[in-house]
Amino acid sequence: MWINRRSVAAVAVVGSLAIAGCSAERGNAPAGQSAGAQTLTIWAPAGTEGDFVRKVVEKWNAGHATKFVAQDLPAATASEDGIAAAVAAKSTPELLIGASTAQSPSLAESGGILNLSKEFPDAESFVTQRSGQTVLDGYRAADGSLYVVPWRTNPVMVFYNKALLKKAGLAAEKPPATYSEYLAAFKALKAAGIAPIAQSIDQTWWHRSFDWYPTYLAAAKHGLLTAKVDASAFNEQAGVESMTFWRDTFAKGYNARSSAGLDETNPFNQGKSAFYLSGPWNIPSMTKQVAAEAGVSTVPVPDAKATGTVTTYGDIKHVVIFSTAKNKAASWEFVKFYLNADNDTAFLSDLKQIPLRTSLADDVGEAFFQENPLLEPFVKQAGNVLDLDLSTKTIDVLTALSTAYQSAAIYGKQPVAEALKHAADQVDQLVRK
């Protein structure tokens, strides 16, 4: 099994991040390229992230003989299962930008992505110089090698609407921090006729990364599996307390049992609910009025942990080079180009997402954060995040927990402790196979 020696990779990117006080057509060969020239393909995320990749590809192509073309992930492969199928069929291109931590161990174990440590002498030094030693060590496989280049982090935090809090008689400049404080605020909001919070109830495994899992990490300070990634670790007080908090939000009518939760249509972004757990990518989705009234705070923590540093989920994505790459050397050079300082600062500025670069705050300057105040808390939080467990079973683990969350938290059909015990039994069987 391809696993990291530690269950969760901590991302220490604060250092200097502590803050004081026209693109190529999709799928077409680059303009001006001769008919016989080599064209190397990159699979890029959809939407604005893909548009950004295409801008960088255009810059690369203007100065290099080997050309790249960026394509959105084909519809059939726009999921972890689809990518796995493409790897099995050996129909993958050169690169994938946006590989998930949940899937990367399986891609490596199957031989679908390159061992970067073995292929490129400067791979580890590049990651260390850009992101720090902690990040490099956190993503080493059990064999000690690096298979992914950590790309960006989007810490999950809590957006809140100051205007709606004021309407409910709450202190807008001092948002709640603990479970009891959040529940009291939700109660006041509901009494004032204001929807307190709207998180998706979709059962798909990755949705738990944006509601229960961040609060679990804040309570537990460790991942879902043990340090050796061979047993469950969530069936404990932190797991029960964090899931009970979410159960209370549904049981008391604070969190609607609906699937409204996509950033573009979320009630919070339209000024119709007071709180929303999400990452910095959500900022551009808010209406101007909501953005002007928005604040950002840490995820809820148990009452006993009211003070101290709050940990959350980092939502970290990676760049990988597929084993089917036709030109490994050119692919590696493109990775380094894509992740250089200029492109990292442009990524932060354009997409409001956080590259894993220790010099980021110095690179963009204090004026940037004065113009983008909602980003400042996320950049500070980036030094206190945990990722998913580096295990080939992570998706299965989160699927089991999502079932427990639906039964115990959303619909209250069984006690939280019972649901977590059942999930732990399932997970123990999975990871010990």
Side-chain angles (χ1 to χ4, degrees), residues 11-349:
V11 181
V13 298
V14 167
S16 60
L17 287 178
I19 300 169
C22 46
S23 65
E25 291 184 3
R26 303 184 183 191
N28 295 332
Q33 182 175 332
S34 62
Q38 184 181 43
T39 300
L40 305 177
T41 302
I42 299 167
W43 276 350
T48 55
E49 287 186 16
D51 293 337
F52 182 84
V53 174
R54 278 177 276 277
K55 288 182 180 180
V56 177
V57 165
E58 186 174 333
K59 289 193 295 183
W60 166 277
N61 288 343
H64 296 81
T66 301
K67 310 299 181 184
F68 283 88
V69 59
Q71 296 178 343
D72 288 348
L73 275 170
T77 58
S79 68
E80 278 78 7
D81 288 342
I83 293 171
V87 167
K90 298 188 182 303
S91 60
T92 48
E94 303 289 307
L95 298 164
L96 170 62
I97 295 177
S100 70
T101 300
Q103 187 179 29
S104 296
S106 296
L107 293 177
E109 186 179 74
S110 68
I113 56 178
L114 293 182
N115 181 328
L116 303 177
S117 298
K118 289 185 177 180
E119 290 285 346
F120 310 112
D122 62 338
E124 294 191 8
S125 61
F126 173 78
V127 172
T128 301
Q129 290 167 11
R130 178 175 179 266
S131 306
Q133 189 70 38
T134 301
V135 172
L136 171 68
D137 292 340
Y139 288 100
R140 289 186 186 277
D143 63 6
S145 296
L146 187 69
Y147 290 80
V148 301
V149 180
W151 165 36
R152 56 85 169 156
T153 178
N154 284 323
V156 175
M157 301 188 74
V158 181
F159 288 100
Y160 60 95
N161 188 310
K162 298 175 185 178
L164 295 183
L165 266 60
K166 290 177 182 177
K167 285 184 179 180
L170 299 169
E173 301 305 324
K174 188 181 179 183
T178 65
Y179 296 159
S180 61
E181 290 172 355
Y182 267 98
L183 292 172
F186 291 169
K187 182 178 181 180
L189 287 160
K190 184 181 178 183
I194 300 167
I197 188 170
Q199 299 292 144
S200 175
I201 64 166
D202 190 306
Q203 194 178 346
T204 308
W205 64 270
W206 57 264
H207 280 279
R208 300 295 72 80
S209 298
F210 305 104
D211 45 44
W212 172 71
Y213 187 54
T215 57
Y216 165 77
L217 290 178
K221 305 286 188 181
H222 62 72
L224 299 171
L225 301 177
T226 58
K228 293 184 178 180
V229 205
D230 60 356
S232 63
F234 55 79
N235 187 23
E236 59 175 8
Q237 183 178 355
V240 172
E241 287 183 345
S242 55
M243 194 169 287
T244 298
F245 166 76
W246 286 103
R247 179 189 178 103
D248 288 343
T249 69
F250 288 105
K252 297 178 181 181
Y254 303 150
N255 197 355
R257 294 187 175 101
S258 72
S259 291
L262 296 176
D263 292 333
E264 292 79 6
T265 59
N266 188 275
F268 178 87
N269 292 339
Q270 308 303 315
K272 297 178 181 178
S273 66
F275 291 93
Y276 182 41
L277 271 71
S278 191
W281 70 84
N282 184 56
I283 295 171
S285 298
M286 300 179 196
T287 65
K288 289 184 179 180
Q289 182 177 356
V290 170
E293 294 289 348
V296 179
S297 188
T298 53
V299 298
V301 297
D303 291 8
K305 296 185 177 181
T307 59
T309 301
V310 177
T311 301
T312 190
Y313 171 54
D315 186 28
I316 294 157
K317 294 293 191 293
H318 313 275
V319 179
V320 298
I321 301 177
F322 288 114
S323 298
T324 52
K326 299 174 185 176
N327 190 329
K328 297 175 183 177
S331 295
W332 175 238
E333 290 305 313
F334 179 84
V335 170
K336 293 188 289 185
F337 179 83
Y338 182 75
L339 300 177
N340 67 28
D342 288 343
N343 290 327
D344 277 349
T345 55
F347 186 75
L348 175 68
S349 178

